[in-house]
């Protein structure tokens, strides 16, 4: 009996490849099983069997290659996972192979992984907490009401939004809901955005759920992730998995609840490579197919989510007060333009902010200073002719990093020495303009020489444990002032932070993107929320050049409803999500002209189908990255159109384009629901 297997490979192939199952492996080859196959003349790959049949799928049955090896211990991917991969490939317009690549830890995609050894009694994956399974703290009345409200919503709907102000005690509510599910024998997936997966939340959940909890983090070694994956297909999986977006791809036996914490976080969207998926949206899909419920939690819901909550598609539970009756922080606005005019801005910190920091330090309280730009100064400029150094591979100016004494491209990471003189006019004086975290740190050192200062940004957190170390030191009170980029805005809970300084509230507003205002609102509200979480009321000093912007007033008042109203009106007016769906088409090539031509040709193919719904081709704000010139088309799809039909049209146009010899080397990819 000759059998044939469809094998999915971690490659950007459209479909599967067919192989013969040799007699000797007949017992081992199974659906969802891992096999080794040869592709082409030499290359060996580990693939997943997605189909088995007794008849050859085509007349070429005899020329098919044999499967070379098969893992004998049964499937490593469940049918539910395969279905999820296919859904994702379809929705996000990539190949199932690309999804597989993202879904499996590297070790499981290699052909050489030894068959798993028996795990030892002291499982290194198991969360070990000094204080684990700690009795749970009773919920307050407001928390209990919220938890009941969520369960009530779940009786009718699959998804519920928990919209609770910062420090309202959302995490305790999650803990209570998780306990319920675990008590009934179900599994829970708790998703956190990449950077927020700190020891803080791990400890908090770990101290309650101890041995039942596994942690899946992209910073973990691949071996560790593969081991967790294997544990989840074993008979004794963790019942609670705390993880980043890729934890969606783990196998679950009995998934009953998915919590998406900080659901508004843009880092839930994978940008590169494919699959360019949004973990929140994918989680909702995964839960639906598993019959699990979803809880989205945040103080600042994204517009799409809140609209669904208002329309009744999702349940909505709101917590308007902080836990323990602590007041939300007072936010004072400092008009930087006016202060500059009066020559009072002698440093990047306003006099008021300096005073507040000084007083906080005198009271032995802590301070967070937020500047969403790393490096020393974002621009270096020639005093005489205004020349500024640009990246040779990207269309952006280089950022000066003083400690490293290098000019760094924040797009491709390339770094260059700082020129001694202007290559254009020879002047030797290059001025640095603007402030990055490094420079803020230097200023703060000068202003508060005895304060203990730490900086948290991409540059200081490259080492695996650096992020945790910085936060632990701050938590212990070994640091007085924490300076950081948006990393410091994410879900941190420290009880001695009484002052938060936002040094430049306008920066993210100037980004040419329809979501700029929304992002800014999220970021400012979140960082403000780090102040005064326990005990006395916190103070936020918000420095801005545009104090009269309605958005600033909305942040100051914590008026989410007003923010939602203004933003939705704009989105409607200009037809942006959630009014419409967007699919971006990226076209890249080393040759600018060819990129342009390909984009025009593609646009011409698509225009008859979409008319005004198709925008472009246009150059994005950064028109060249890593030596590739970029063009973009934006497709706005009305809810009336069938998305499947749209996808088919796009794929067909893509295939037709790259089928033309002139455009064979052009890179084209789609980004559905881009952020
Ligand atoms: P959120 O997740 O909404 O920002 P947290 O769950 O972190 O809020 O709660 C804010 C603070 O209040 C935390 O320090 C937490 O320990 C405390 N807290 C919340 N709920 C309780 C409770 N039921 N009992 C004791 N402390 C609580
Ligand atoms: Zn010059
Ligand atoms: Zn670059």
């Amino acid at each position: 009996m000759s059998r044939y297997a469809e094998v999915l490979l971690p490659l950007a192939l459209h479909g599967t490849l067919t192989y013969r199952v040799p007699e000797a492996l007949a017992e081992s080859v199974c659906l969802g099983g891992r096999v080794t196959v040869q592709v082409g003349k030499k290359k060996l790959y580990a693939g997943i069997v997605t189909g088995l049949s007794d008849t050859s799928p085509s007349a070429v049955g005899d020329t098919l290659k044999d499967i070379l090896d098969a893992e004998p211990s049964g499937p490593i991917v469940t049918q539910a996972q395969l279905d999820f991969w296919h859904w994702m490939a379809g929705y996000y317009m990539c190949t199932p192979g690309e999804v597989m690549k993202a879904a499996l830890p590297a070790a499981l995609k290699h052909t050489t992984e030894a068959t798993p050894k028996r795990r030892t009694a002291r499982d290194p994956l198991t969360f070990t907490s000094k204080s684990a399974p700690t009795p749970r703290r009773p919920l307050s009345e407001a928390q209990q009401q919220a938890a009941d409200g969520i369960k009530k919503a779940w009786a009718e709907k699959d998804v519920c939004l928990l919209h609770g102000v910062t420090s309202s005690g959302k995490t305790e509510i999650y803990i209570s809901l998780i306990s319920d599910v675990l008590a009934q024998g179900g599994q829970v997936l708790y998703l956190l955005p990449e950077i927020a997966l700190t020891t803080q939340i791990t400890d908090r959940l770990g101290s309650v759920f101890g041995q039942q909890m596994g942690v899946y983090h992209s910073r973990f070694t691949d071996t560790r992730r593969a081991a967790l994956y294997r544990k989840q297909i074993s008979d004794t999986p963790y019942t609670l998995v705390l993880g980043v977006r890729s934890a969606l791809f783990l196998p679950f036996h009995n998934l009953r609840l998915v919590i998406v914490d900080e659901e508004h976080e843009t880092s839930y969207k994978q940008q590169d490579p494919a699959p360019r998926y949004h973990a929140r949206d994918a989680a909702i899909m995964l839960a639906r197919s598993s019959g699990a419920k979803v809880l989205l939690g945040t103080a600042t819901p994204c517009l799409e989510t809140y609209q669904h909550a208002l329309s009744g598609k999702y349940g909505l539970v709101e917590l308007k007060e902080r836990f323990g009756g602590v007041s939300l922080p007072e936010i004072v606005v400092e008009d930087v333009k006016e202060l500059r005019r009066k020559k009072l801005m002698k440093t990047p910190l306003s006099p008021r902010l300096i005073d507040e920091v000084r007083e906080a330090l005198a009271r032995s309280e802590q301070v967070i200073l937020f500047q969403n730009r790393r490096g020393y100064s974002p621009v270096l400029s020639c005093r005489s002719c205004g020349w500024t150094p640009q990246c040779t591979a990207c269309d952006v100016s280089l950022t000066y990093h003083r400690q490293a004494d290098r000019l760094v491209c924040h797009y491709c990471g390339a770094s260059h020495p700082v020129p001694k003189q202007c290559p254009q006019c020879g002047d030797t004086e290059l001025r640095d303009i603007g402030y990055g975290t490094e420079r803020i740190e230097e200023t703060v050192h000068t202003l508060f020489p005895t304060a203990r200062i730490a900086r948290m940004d991409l540059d200081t957190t490259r080492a695996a444990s650096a992020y945790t170390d910085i936060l632990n030191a701050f938590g212990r009170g070994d640091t007085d002032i924490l300076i950081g980029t948006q990393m410091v805005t994410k879900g941190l809970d420290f009880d001695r932070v009484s002052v938060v300084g936002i040094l430049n509230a306008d920066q993210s507003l100037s980004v040419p993107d329809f979501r700029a205002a929304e992002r800014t609102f999220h970021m400012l509200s979140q960082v403000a929320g780090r102040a005064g979480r326990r005990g006395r009321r916190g103070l936020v000093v918000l420095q801005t050049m545009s104090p009269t912007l309605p958005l600033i007033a909305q942040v100051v008042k914590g008026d989410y409803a007003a923010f939602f109203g203004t933003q939705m009106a704009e989105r409607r007016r200009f037809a942006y999500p959630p009014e419409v769906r967007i699919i971006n088409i990226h076209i890249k090539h080393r040759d600018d002209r060819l990129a342009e031509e390909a984009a025009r040709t593609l646009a011409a193919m698509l225009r008859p189908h979409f008319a005004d719904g198709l925008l472009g081709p246009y150059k994005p704000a950064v028109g060249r990255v890593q030596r590739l010139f970029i063009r973009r088309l934006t497709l706005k799809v009305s809810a009336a159109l069938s998305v499947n039909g749209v996808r088919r049209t796009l794929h067909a146009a893509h295939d037709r384009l790259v089928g033309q010899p002139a455009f064979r080397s052009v890179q084209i990819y789609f980004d559905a629901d881009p952020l």
Side-chain angles (χ1 to χ4, degrees):
M1 179 186 70
S2 146
R3 300 226 297 166
Y4 301 90
E6 293 302 316
V7 178
L8 182 63
L9 295 158
L11 302 169
L13 297 172
H14 272 305
T16 49
L17 295 181
T18 311
Y19 288 86
R20 254 200 329 234
V21 183
E23 206 56 55
L25 293 176
E27 295 276 292
S28 308
V29 173
C30 60
L31 266 183
R34 186 163 153 254
V35 294
T36 304
V37 295
Q38 185 179 333
V39 181
K41 291 239 176 328
K42 275 201 207 96
K43 285 225 142 117
L44 294 189
Y45 284 96
I48 300 295
V49 176
T50 61
L52 284 168
S53 75
D54 287 331
T55 47
S56 162
S58 64
V60 295
D62 289 341
T63 62
L64 292 174
K65 289 177 183 137
D66 277 357
I67 286 177
L68 299 177
D69 199 3
E71 184 175 309
S73 47
I76 67 158
V77 179
T78 64
Q79 188 59 47
Q81 283 175 284
L82 288 177
D83 293 345
F84 182 57
W85 293 4
H86 275 101
W87 167 80
M88 185 171 276
Y91 189 87
Y92 291 103
M93 308 184 73
C94 62
T95 67
E98 286 171 312
V99 179
M100 172 187 171
K101 230 168 141 172
L104 295 179
L108 299 179
K109 290 176 291 190
H110 293 157
T111 53
T112 47
E113 193 209 22
T115 33
K117 295 185 189 70
R118 204 162 249 289
R119 302 201 66 78
T120 52
R122 254 197 69 78
D123 185 346
L125 288 172
T126 302
F127 180 85
T128 46
S129 166
K130 285 148 242 145
S131 43
T134 305
R136 264 178 47 208
R137 296 183 286 192
L139 295 183
S140 70
E141 208 178 303
Q143 284 171 321
Q144 190 56 54
Q145 266 173 22
D148 293 343
I150 292 164
K151 284 188 230 170
K152 207 165 142 218
W154 280 339
E156 294 167 22
K157 293 163 191 172
D158 292 337
V159 184
C160 183
L161 168 65
L162 173 59
H163 177 208
V165 297
T166 55
S167 205
S168 52
K170 295 184 289 296
T171 315
E172 289 305 319
I173 296 174
Y174 304 150
I175 290 174
S176 150
L177 295 168
I178 294 168
S179 306
D180 290 352
V181 173
L182 298 191
Q184 290 157 22
Q187 281 183 305
V188 179
L189 171 61
Y190 186 129
L191 288 180
L192 268 172
E194 198 75 26
I195 206 69
L197 198 61
T198 61
T199 40
Q200 253 189 345
I201 192 77
T202 316
D203 282 352
R204 225 164 126 184
L205 294 181
S207 72
V208 180
F209 300 108
Q211 311 281 316
Q212 294 163 281
M213 180 174 97
V215 181
Y216 197 70
H217 196 314
S218 55
R219 282 216 167 172
F220 288 171
T221 60
D222 188 68
T223 319
R224 196 161 163 200
R225 276 183 292 148
L228 187 126
Y229 187 101
R230 290 229 176 252
K231 181 161 168 75
Q232 294 315 91
I233 40 175
S234 76
D235 295 337
T236 54
Y238 291 114
T239 44
L240 168 62
V241 174
L242 175 64
V244 293
R245 61 174 183 238
S246 54
L248 280 173
F249 296 115
L250 290 169
F252 292 92
H253 295 272
N254 186 21
L255 186 63
R256 304 261 54 87
L257 169 62
V258 183
I259 293 171
V260 183
D261 197 3
E262 312 288 1
E263 68 85 26
H264 65 279
E265 266 291 330
T266 51
S267 62
Y268 275 129
K269 174 81 169 62
Q270 169 145 320
Q271 303 290 355
D272 259 319
R276 297 176 175 80
Y277 65 103
H278 197 300
R280 176 198 59 224
D281 300 341
I284 291 172
M285 191 61 207
L286 178 73
R288 185 179 300 154
S289 58
S290 325
K293 297 294 177 189
V294 178
L295 182 61
L296 308 177
T298 177
T300 52
C302 95
L303 294 188
E304 281 86 342
T305 301
Y306 203 67
Q307 199 204 25
H308 286 323
L310 290 187
S311 77
K313 186 174 172 192
Y314 299 167
L316 174 63
V317 171
E318 308 206 70
L319 276 171
K320 299 202 155 120
E321 283 177 10
R322 284 188 153 183
F323 177 80
V326 176
S327 301
L328 280 160
E330 180 192 357
I331 305 181
V332 296
V333 177
E334 287 281 85
D335 181 344
V336 172
K337 230 185 206 157
E338 180 68 10
L339 290 167
R340 278 204 189 135
R341 204 179 53 76
K342 293 183 180 152
K343 305 240 179 295
L344 291 171
M345 283 300 282
K346 299 213 165 48
T347 74
L349 281 67
S350 72
R352 168 85 190 256
L353 179 53
I354 295 173
D355 285 347
E356 295 294 347
V357 172
R358 182 175 300 118
E359 283 170 30
L361 295 179
R363 294 191 303 260
S364 302
E365 291 163 356
Q366 290 174 305
V367 174
I368 291 179
L369 297 178
F370 169 59
Q371 169 72 352
N372 202 15
R373 192 164 245 164
R374 69 194 168 93
Y376 189 80
S377 63
V379 182
L380 213 60
S381 170
C382 168
R383 188 188 54 168
S384 311
C385 75
W387 172 85
T388 60
Q390 304 277 317
C391 179
T392 49
C394 315
D395 273 353
V396 287
S397 54
L398 298 169
T399 300
Y400 176 45
H401 286 241
R402 187 160 180 162
Q403 241 159 319
D405 196 28
R406 303 284 288 180
L407 292 167
V408 180
C409 171
H410 285 186
Y411 273 81
C412 71
S415 91
H416 306 266
V418 183
K420 298 264 184 295
Q421 60 184 91
C422 171
Q424 198 159 282
C425 73
D427 194 323
T428 51
E429 201 164 320
L430 298 175
R431 291 179 305 166
D432 37 42
I433 302 171
Y435 298 94
T437 43
E438 234 186 85
R439 189 171 197 169
I440 300 296
E441 185 184 12
E442 186 186 86
T443 308
V444 172
H445 261 300
T446 319
L447 288 169
F448 308 103
T450 57
R452 296 160 302 169
I453 299 165
R455 171 162 62 93
M456 188 161 77
D457 56 29
L458 202 63
D459 298 311
T460 62
T461 53
R462 290 194 198 275
S465 66
Y467 186 77
T468 312
D469 293 345
I470 293 171
L471 290 181
N472 282 348
F474 195 61
R476 283 193 308 268
D478 292 349
T479 308
D480 302 311
I481 304 176
L482 180 65
I483 298 160
T485 56
Q486 47 172 335
M487 284 187 184
V488 299
T489 67
K490 314 206 175 205
L492 305 180
D493 180 35
F494 294 110
D495 48 4
R496 278 187 299 252
V497 177
S498 64
V499 173
V500 166
I502 298 171
L503 300 186
N504 180 358
D506 314 303
Q507 189 200 316
S508 56
L509 273 175
S510 60
V511 178
D513 183 304
F514 70 89
R515 287 189 217 266
E518 183 182 9
R519 269 199 206 128
T520 305
F521 182 86
H522 289 165
M523 208 153 66
L524 298 181
S525 312
Q526 291 289 342
V527 71
R530 302 312 115 206
R533 289 173 66 88
R534 267 169 269 171
R536 58 179 287 145
R537 188 178 185 195
L539 179 80
V540 179
V541 178
L542 186 155
Q543 302 185 169
T544 173
M545 304 273 266
S546 28
T548 55
L549 271 187
L551 186 100
I552 298 293
Q554 289 157 3
V555 170
V556 168
K557 291 196 217 121
D559 194 345
Y560 181 84
F563 153 78
F564 182 78
T566 26
Q567 290 308 312
M568 284 299 284
E570 289 209 2
R571 302 281 177 95
R572 262 184 215 121
R573 209 163 124 221
F574 300 106
Y576 277 112
E579 260 318 272
V580 296
R581 260 169 209 281
I582 286 186
I583 297 176
N584 275 341
I585 307 163
H586 296 247
I587 299 114
K588 298 186 179 179
H589 200 274
R590 289 176 76 101
D591 180 344
D592 195 21
R593 212 181 28 84
L594 198 59
E596 175 71 25
E597 220 176 291
R600 279 171 193 267
T601 311
L602 189 61
M605 289 177 186
L606 293 173
R607 196 139 278 135
H609 298 273
F610 303 109
D612 290 351
L614 185 73
L615 311 180
Y618 59 93
K619 276 190 194 185
V622 177
R624 190 175 61 129
V625 174
Q626 291 185 306
R627 304 196 181 281
L628 294 175
F629 290 93
I630 309 169
R631 290 295 184 283
R632 206 181 283 162
L633 298 172
T634 291
L635 184 61
K636 290 180 173 178
V637 188
S638 91
L641 277 178
S642 142
V643 186
N644 278 333
V646 169
R647 284 198 206 101
R648 267 197 303 276
T649 308
L650 291 178
H651 281 304
H654 166 273
D655 292 351
R656 249 173 77 203
L657 186 82
V658 295
Q660 301 181 22
F663 299 128
R664 192 162 293 149
S665 57
V666 178
Q667 286 181 33
I668 300 173
Y669 62 84
F670 302 105
D671 188 0
D673 307 332
L675 283 187

